[in-house]
Amino acid sequence: ALSVIKITGWLLENGYLTEEVRGEKRNRVASQRGMSIGISTVDGVSMQGVPYRKNLYDSRAQRFVVDHLDEISQ
């Protein structure tokens, strides 16, 4: 089965995401290559006041992932 973890791992392996470490937390964030296909990383703060980062995938990035599902699922 195809999972978010598998997709994220493939994007990381292929340079669309990169890992950064802030304090004790590891985040996967958009690289320059990822930004070029429509992935962006934004900072937020949870309702409990905890800062976090999340990746947003615009329609181009979503299409890119769909177009590479066969490759990702291997």
Side-chain angles (χ1 to χ4, degrees):
L2 194 57
S3 67
V4 169
I5 293 170
K6 189 152 189 154
I7 293 169
T8 302
W10 185 88
L11 290 167
L12 186 65
E13 287 171 21
N14 288 279
Y16 297 99
L17 297 176
T18 187
E19 279 194 338
E20 70 172 21
V21 178
R22 285 186 172 183
E24 298 176 11
K25 213 165 169 150
R26 273 185 6 194
N27 292 301
R28 292 177 175 163
V29 298
S31 65
Q32 280 299 122
R33 188 173 190 191
M35 287 183 238
S36 75
I37 65 160
I39 302 172
S40 58
T41 302
V42 297
D43 293 309
V45 179
S46 73
M47 293 179 74
Q48 294 78 23
V50 178
Y52 65 87
R53 301 194 89 189
K54 69 178 177 180
N55 295 317
L56 302 177
Y57 296 76
D58 73 9
S59 59
R60 292 177 304 135
Q62 292 174 38
R63 170 56 48 201
F64 178 85
V65 169
V66 169
D67 288 346
H68 289 85
L69 285 178
D70 285 342
E71 193 177 338
I72 294 168
S73 66
Q74 293 180 3

